[in-house]
Amino acid sequence: MNSDLPKFVPLEHVMEELTISKSQAYALVRSGDLRAIRVGGRGQWRVDLRELEAYIDRAYAAAAELLT
């Protein structure tokens, strides 16, 4: 991971990386498929970049299982 990148990113970053909607990003968090934390007074969701990479790896593995 690039040390210039922040450790935690907002859900908007997840939306851009995965090209999904806000509701889809929240659904991933609510389901537990993508671990996230709430920070700040307004309870903004943040995702550790390592968690996002792990989610992507699991998604690739699940897709590979479907193809075998």
Side-chain angles (χ1 to χ4, degrees), residues 1 5 10 12 18 20-21 36 39 43 47-48 56-57 65 67:
M1 182 167 37
L5 293 175
E12 288 78 11
L18 300 178
I20 59 175
S21 69
V39 297
V47 177
D48 186 320
I56 292 168
D57 290 342
E65 282 291 316
L67 298 174

Side-chain angles (χ1 to χ4, degrees), residues 32-48:
D33 288 337
L34 179 62
R35 293 178 58 198
I37 61 172
R38 292 186 85 173
V39 297
R42 294 179 22 212
Q44 300 279 324
W45 286 104
R46 295 290 184 268
V47 177
D48 186 320

